[in-house]
Amino acid sequence: MSAPVTVSITRHLDPGREAEMVSWLQAGTALAQRFPGFLGAGWVRPEADSETWHMLYRFADAEALARWEGSHEREWWRDAAVGLGVRESRVERRTGIEGWFDEPTSRDVRDLRLNPPPPPRWKQAVTIFLVFYPLSVLVNWGAGSYVADVALPLRILLTVLVMTPVMTYAALPWITRQMQWFLQGQPPPWRRSAQVDRTGDRTVD
C-alpha cells in the first residue's frame, strides 16, 4: 500500500489581503475534503504581517493525491488565486508513514522562484563602503598608538589581518541583511511598515 503523501507549498501575497487569502484557502480545503483519501490541510505564517504563507495538505496515497491535483475543482480553485496576486515559490512532496513532520522516506522539492538578478555593482560598492569605512577608522584609531612606529607595509598588513575576518564573518553578512531592500530595489522597511499601518483595519490574523 502506498504511504501517505504530504505536499508543502510556499506562497506569497502582499500584506493587507489576509482576509481574501484565508477565504481562498478555506475554499480549497472544502473542495479537497470531498475527495477520497484527503487527510487534512493547514497553513502557517512566520509573522502576523508576513507575505509568506506555508501551506500543507495530505492525502492517504499518491493515487488519491493525483485525483485531487488533476481535478477540475482544483484547477478552478488555483485559477482564482491569479486575481489575488498569489505567487508560488516552492513545492515539496514528502512521503512518510507517520504524522505531518516525520522524516520523509522520499522527497520531491521544486523551487519555483526565479533567481534574482545580482544587484548593480554600484549598490554593492555602497553597501560594502557602509561597513568598510567605519571599520577602517575604528581599527586604525584603536591600533594607532601600538603600530605607529611600524613600517607602512607591515602596518597595513596587520590592519588587513584584523579587518578581513571581521568583514567576512560579521560585518558583510550583517550589512547585506540590513540593506537587502536597497540591493534588490525594494521599498525600505519604514515605508513597508507605513503601508501595513494604513491597511491595518483590513488585517485578519
Side-chain angles (χ1 to χ4, degrees):
M1 182 178 296
S2 177
V5 183
T6 300
V7 180
S8 171
I9 303 178
T10 301
R11 291 186 168 103
H12 306 270
L13 182 65
D14 295 337
R17 308 197 67 177
E18 289 82 359
E20 295 99 316
M21 183 63 135
V22 170
S23 296
W24 180 70
L25 294 174
Q26 290 173 339
T29 302
L31 290 173
Q33 67 186 6
R34 300 172 58 187
F35 283 72
F38 177 71
L39 299 179
W43 61 86
V44 66
R45 301 167 70 193
E47 298 176 353
D49 59 350
S50 174
E51 69 169 16
T52 302
W53 299 68
H54 299 290
M55 306 170 188
L56 297 169
Y57 58 89
R58 187 170 175 84
F59 278 81
D61 51 47
E63 291 183 3
L65 174 63
R67 284 193 294 270
W68 159 246
E69 292 189 334
S71 67
H72 295 296
E73 290 90 337
R74 181 173 181 269
E75 181 180 1
W76 170 86
W77 175 70
R78 284 172 56 86
D79 288 344
V82 176
L84 288 178
V86 176
R87 306 175 299 279
E88 288 188 3
S89 65
R90 181 182 174 90
V91 177
E92 179 178 357
R93 297 171 186 267
R94 295 167 58 94
T95 303
I97 299 176
E98 302 291 341
W100 289 79
F101 302 106
D102 58 330
E103 185 64 22
T105 58
S106 66
R107 176 178 291 178
D108 173 22
V109 179
R110 287 183 291 150
D111 194 333
L112 306 178
R113 292 169 294 183
L114 297 176
N115 292 326
R121 289 188 180 274
W122 71 269
K123 287 190 174 185
Q124 298 180 44
V126 168
T127 302
I128 294 172
F129 175 81
L130 289 176
V131 290
F132 182 77
Y133 174 72
L135 183 61
S136 299
V137 171
L138 181 63
V139 170
N140 282 278
W141 174 79
S145 59
Y146 299 101
V147 297
D149 297 331
V150 177
L152 179 61
L154 182 56
R155 187 163 70 243
I156 294 174
L157 175 62
L158 293 173
T159 302
V160 171
L161 288 176
V162 172
M163 291 180 54
T164 298
V166 175
M167 287 286 293
T168 302
Y169 295 105
L172 281 179
W174 179 82
I175 195 64
T176 300
R177 290 193 300 271
Q178 302 304 314
M179 299 295 291
Q180 192 63 226
W181 61 270
F182 171 74
L183 292 169
Q184 298 299 329
Q186 300 170 351
W190 57 87
R191 287 184 56 187
R192 293 199 298 270
S193 299
Q195 291 172 355
V196 171
D197 290 342
R198 287 196 298 270
T199 59
D201 58 337
R202 298 171 54 195
T203 301
V204 176
D205 295 333

